[in-house]
Amino acid sequence: MPQAQAEAQTKETPSENSSRDRILQQIRAGLRTVVPEPPALASDRVIFEPVANPLERFQQECVLNLMECALTADRAASARQLSQVLQSLPEGEIFVQDDPSLRQLIEVAAPGRPIRWSSQGAPAEASQATITLADALIAQTGSILVTAGCGGRGASVIAPCHIVYATVDQLVPDLTTALSRASRDGILDRNSFACVISGSSRTADIEKILVQGAHGPRRLVVILQRES
Amino acid sequence: MSTAAQRFLQDAAIKSADLLHREVIRRGMDSYDAAHLKGRARIKDWEAARQRCREIKREAINHLDRYLLQFEEKVIARGGHVFWAANSEEACTYVKNLATRLGVRTVVKSKSMVTEEIRLSPALEKAGIKVWETDLGEFIVQLRDEPPYHIVTPAMHLNRSQIAQLFREKLDPAIDSDDPVDLMAVARRKLREAFFAAEMGISGANFLVADAGVVAISTNEGNGRLCTSVPPIHVVVTGIEKVIPRLEDLAVLWPVLATSGTGQGITTYSTLIGGPRRAGETDGPEEFHVVLVDNGRSALLADAEQREVLHCIRCGACLNICPVFRHVGGHTYGTTYPGPIGSVLTPHLNGIKEFKHLSFASSLCGACSSVCPVKIDLHHHLLQNRRNATEAGATKSSERAMFRIWRAAMGSPSLYALGGWTVRKSLRLLYALGLAETFLDPMRVWNRYRSSMPLPSESFRAKWRKNRAASSS
Ligand code: SF4
């Protein structure tokens, strides 16, 4: 692969892509045609109802998104919650993002479970669950924002159950806030991947009937801790 | 060989009379309608949202070169590759050569209408590469060797028992349930093998975000996630018009796309990918390629009336609401993009001569324009395409002759009266001879499905004169 990769790199430099310049020329030629612009949207129009109480809204949206959200007081309560969730799952390996806070939690909550840490590589196909942190929680849509830094790409999609450990102070009111922060903090310059996840995987491709658990997790569990 | 227009008419007649098809589509559309209305009610000012989305797309399209270059620069800086393809052939060749060079034998694909447009899968299969469609609906139509029926829900024309039967024939004769949960489980098991065997994942993109230099992919099933996480190579194939200026624009585009597509508040996985796996990351493809497909799109920029057709975010709302689509179904169009947007776009992409009939596959009711989340004036564009076809000389000489006669008659009252008299008399004679609905009957198309129209005894003008005389006396 490395050799092929090097080859690919030299082969597809823009200058050797002969259509590139032609397409750009055609675009520029086309844009010379002037299209009259209708008046812009009045700036006082409010598209989305502002989120007054992020925590309450997040919990409501979780219900609509068919995800589980357990509010806990502190780390000990979170550990108890996690251990309950794990006990409801079949035996077998779980995958955990290698982070000190999760290491502490797992020690208490999952003694004896075989564990694969994200530092050891991607989750196995047969993992029973994945446990990760989130970058932010979005109240408006009941979503969690994960990045490659949260245990990688497969960590939120390979296993039948994805458990997210988060704290209330990670909540942001809406998508606009989440995305402008992501922009400002250069999250996408530090991560090759980010995802706004709003529920467990699903399909309605057969007769428009909702089936939970398509190619990804059937369960998405958020353990949301008040104390940070 | 029949023309596209003849095939359209034949298939439309068959589908409109297919009761099972009507029932499946009606049920699907009913549940979409309910979800869509509920979803829209959750947005405080829907009209403002549409207007905002329109402005975002307009800004992007009006500076298409600048935003595409900004996107490209970022992707290349992160070690990704960007290939610009002028047409289908260039795009397919690029992906095929990449696959052969890197020894790819199996490809997993998530839903992408652009790959349908450029016929990517047949091109790869010809090179001996196995291609798995992984979206459940796409997987189903692939097993049936059919194109997608709808741009968002590719298998909405089938009911569960047809799908169960298909799975029994193609996957496992032991399947004894037609519960959608069980059918999904069968597909999941089968496709899991493919995800972990494939060397290349191919996805589309819903948006290309210029300032962040990332592709945005929306999927509910998570198949798009697996396609872009597990295999060592990820190729994005998408149209140049998908670009948007800023990451924050997604704060309105994501909810509006989901609401219009399925009625959801946001698609379950709204993913952003900016390059190959970075050093220190747990997993992800080593190779990341974006293929930007033009294929006739840039030519639309010079069309002052229809440039906005490039704003389309492929949500499918105009298909769902269209009374013509609901009757004739997606396959009848015989095009990659069916429904109102397809009828507008196809003549631009594939030629006005062959596809001008699509401009007439509309009652011009305007329902499509009223739902379009980026406010494309679809039904007026259909009207413009009718005019364009005539101006391009794409009409039949018999049609032109008819209109010349019509114009002459309309310009001369006596000629018009004479024409009316002749038609009334000769139709009366024809029907008296029992020749109604035969090939001699000029009204046969109308009469075939309806009780025949009663012939008036006298002309409208004669009646008018009489009525006026009666009321003034
Ligand atoms: S034309 Fe408008 S309604 Fe139709 S698919 Fe495109 S964005 Fe959706």
Side-chain angles (χ1 to χ4, degrees):
Chain A
M1 192 80 128
Q3 198 200 334
Q5 223 173 305
E7 216 179 281
Q9 245 141 31
T10 49
K11 240 179 166 162
E12 270 79 54
T13 48
S15 58
E16 285 181 43
N17 182 180
S18 60
S19 290
R20 182 178 183 271
D21 293 338
R22 265 190 299 131
I23 294 171
L24 280 167
Q25 261 165 29
Q26 171 126 3
I27 290 173
R28 288 177 182 139
L31 288 177
R32 268 179 231 127
T33 304
V34 180
V35 179
E37 309 224 338
L41 181 69
S43 57
D44 60 347
R45 302 273 290 265
V46 179
I47 296 176
F48 302 104
E49 190 76 61
V51 174
N53 182 335
L55 178 56
E56 196 184 306
R57 174 68 176 262
F58 182 77
Q59 289 174 301
Q60 286 165 358
E61 294 294 326
C62 283
V63 175
L64 291 175
N65 288 341
L66 308 173
M67 51 203 262
E68 301 159 45
C69 175
L71 193 61
T72 58
D74 51 22
R75 182 179 292 275
S78 298
R80 280 196 300 278
Q81 187 65 40
L82 177 61
S83 120
Q84 258 178 37
V85 176
L86 290 177
Q87 270 160 27
S88 70
L89 299 175
E91 297 281 299
E93 184 180 275
I94 55 174
F95 171 93
V96 188
Q97 175 187 345
D98 199 346
D99 178 90
S101 69
L102 286 174
R103 279 203 178 250
Q104 279 178 22
L105 205 65
I106 286 293
E107 236 167 68
V108 188
R113 269 266 181 188
I115 298 208
R116 182 180 175 86
W117 297 97
S118 62
S119 49
Q120 297 168 285
E125 202 273 317
S127 309
Q128 292 301 339
T130 51
I131 307 175
T132 72
L133 303 176
D135 237 64
L137 307 177
I138 305 162
Q140 178 194 1
T141 46
S143 315
I144 58 162
L145 171 65
V146 295
T147 62
C150 304
R153 301 190 189 194
S156 50
V157 74
I158 283 179
C161 176
H162 177 205
I163 304 165
V164 178
Y165 175 48
T167 53
V168 169
D169 61 2
Q170 286 185 288
L171 264 169
V172 299
D174 50 28
L175 280 168
T176 306
T177 317
L179 291 170
S180 42
R181 267 198 213 170
S183 258
R184 191 196 60 202
D185 300 348
I187 281 184
L188 291 160
D189 291 321
R190 281 181 284 115
N191 293 279
S192 70
F193 154 91
C195 188
V196 174
I197 302 179
S198 315
S200 55
S201 92
R202 64 199 56 202
T203 183
D205 272 354
I206 300 179
E207 293 186 11
K208 289 259 172 196
I209 292 165
L210 182 71
V211 176
Q212 234 191 315
H215 293 291
R218 233 180 310 277
R219 281 177 79 186
L220 174 59
V221 184
V222 182
I223 297 176
L224 184 52
Q225 185 177 302
R226 284 190 186 274
E227 192 185 275
S228 46
Chain B
M1 240 201 69
S2 56
T3 64
Q6 284 164 339
R7 278 195 301 274
F8 178 88
L9 286 176
Q10 278 162 11
D11 292 352
I14 294 170
K15 278 295 166 203
S16 315
D18 178 340
L19 294 182
L20 177 63
H21 175 259
R22 294 181 76 97
E23 175 60 17
V24 174
I25 296 311
R26 192 187 56 76
R27 259 199 273 152
M29 292 304 188
D30 280 355
S31 69
Y32 167 82
D33 285 345
H36 179 220
L37 283 177
K38 231 166 92 187
R40 254 160 66 163
R42 284 163 48 88
I43 296 179
K44 184 177 157 67
D45 189 341
W46 174 249
E47 284 309 312
R50 291 175 76 204
Q51 180 70 27
R52 186 76 201 99
C53 291
R54 178 188 169 78
E55 283 168 12
I56 293 167
K57 286 299 295 191
R58 191 179 61 213
E59 189 195 337
I61 297 296
N62 282 351
H63 304 95
L64 192 55
D65 52 338
R66 188 192 336 136
Y67 288 125
L68 284 171
L69 290 174
Q70 196 184 358
F71 169 82
E72 179 191 45
E73 193 190 321
K74 281 254 179 181
V75 170
I76 291 177
R78 296 197 196 95
H81 306 271
V82 178
F83 181 79
W84 303 60
N87 52 37
S88 308
E89 199 197 327
E90 284 184 16
C92 289
T93 308
Y94 178 79
V95 181
K96 198 182 67 194
N97 288 349
L98 180 71
T100 8
R101 195 167 67 236
L102 300 180
V104 172
R105 301 229 305 274
T106 306
V107 165
V108 279
K109 259 191 83 231
S110 69
K111 230 179 95 50
S112 150
M113 289 310 296
V114 178
T115 59
E116 296 288 334
E117 174 189 329
I118 65 172
R119 307 263 176 275
L120 179 60
S121 298
L124 292 175
E125 304 234 314
K126 235 164 97 196
I129 297 162
K130 172 80 190 144
V131 180
W132 292 91
E133 291 289 349
T134 62
D135 170 85
L136 178 59
E138 290 280 350
F139 180 59
I140 292 168
V141 294
Q142 187 189 33
L143 288 178
R144 283 172 60 96
D145 213 1
E146 251 177 13
Y149 178 93
H150 184 288
I151 59 175
V152 175
T153 40
M156 75 172 297
H157 59 306
L158 302 169
N159 64 22
R160 60 178 84 187
S161 63
Q162 291 169 307
I163 295 165
Q165 182 59 31
L166 175 74
F167 279 13
R168 266 193 294 277
E169 278 164 25
K170 303 274 168 145
L171 301 176
D172 179 2
I175 295 168
D176 60 354
S177 156
D178 63 2
D179 186 329
V181 175
D182 299 326
L183 295 173
M184 178 68 234
V186 172
R188 177 183 165 120
R189 273 198 303 279
K190 188 79 206 162
L191 290 170
R192 276 276 161 152
E193 293 165 23
F195 283 123
F196 285 85
E199 301 91 356
M200 178 186 275
I202 298 178
S203 74
N206 295 89
F207 305 101
L208 306 170
V209 186
D211 71 346
V214 297
V215 300
I217 306 170
S218 298
T219 99
N220 279 311
E221 294 179 6
N223 62 313
R225 296 281 323 279
L226 288 165
C227 283
T228 59
S229 300
V230 182
I233 309 158
H234 174 200
V235 181
V236 181
V237 180
T238 192
I240 52 172
E241 84 286 13
K242 295 280 171 67
V243 78
I244 55 167
R246 293 160 300 266
L247 192 65
E248 285 94 318
D249 295 332
L250 292 171
V252 54
L253 285 167
W254 270 341
V256 164
L257 172 63
T259 301
S260 296
T262 59
Q264 289 170 284
I266 186 169
T267 310
T268 307
Y269 297 104
S270 301
T271 308
L272 303 167
I273 296 174
R277 166 190 191 172
R278 292 171 64 93
E281 287 182 353
T282 310
D283 54 3
E286 306 289 338
E287 291 252 346
F288 178 68
H289 297 252
V290 181
V291 181
L292 298 172
V293 179
D294 181 348
N295 214 22
R297 288 165 173 79
S298 58
L300 257 166
L301 291 170
D303 188 328
E305 287 172 338
Q306 296 198 26
R307 179 185 292 173
E308 64 164 18
V309 171
L310 296 172
H311 295 179
C312 174
I313 55 172
R314 306 275 189 266
C315 71
C318 59
L319 283 61
N320 298 340
I321 201 148
C322 178
V324 176
F325 184 95
R326 286 179 177 220
H327 281 82
V328 306
H331 286 147
T332 296
Y333 290 84
T335 54
T336 304
Y337 305 100
I341 182 62
S343 297
V344 171
L345 192 60
T346 310
H348 290 288
L349 300 186
N350 301 353
I352 187 100
K353 272 217 159 68
E354 203 188 341
F355 291 98
K356 74 169 173 29
H357 62 285
L358 294 176
S359 320
F360 297 89
S362 165
S363 61
L364 300 179
C365 67
C368 46
S369 311
S370 77
V371 291
C372 175
V374 286
K375 300 185 73 160
I376 301 175
D377 198 0
L378 290 155
H379 67 297
H380 281 108
H381 297 322
L382 289 173
L383 209 52
Q384 289 152 1
N385 280 352
R386 294 185 189 183
R387 180 205 60 208
N388 294 349
T390 308
E391 282 175 355
T395 45
K396 279 194 290 224
S397 53
S398 58
E399 189 182 326
R400 285 200 296 276
M402 294 278 277
F403 271 102
R404 265 198 296 278
I405 295 170
W406 175 255
R407 189 169 59 189
M410 289 303 282
S412 148
S414 51
L415 210 56
Y416 187 86
L418 179 70
W421 182 85
T422 317
V423 170
R424 275 197 312 281
K425 290 294 170 201
S426 45
L427 276 183
R428 197 173 296 282
L429 180 67
L430 201 74
Y431 292 173
L433 292 172
L435 294 173
E437 289 174 51
T438 64
F439 77 101
L440 285 171
D441 180 2
M443 302 298 290
R444 63 184 178 278
V445 179
W446 174 272
N447 287 340
R448 200 181 302 150
Y449 299 113
R450 302 168 180 87
S451 48
S452 54
M453 266 199 296
L455 289 171
S457 53
E458 52 192 352
S459 72
F460 174 77
R461 288 197 301 175
K463 272 192 180 150
W464 178 262
R465 266 198 305 273
K466 249 193 234 163
N467 275 350
R468 289 265 301 232
S471 64
S472 64
S473 64

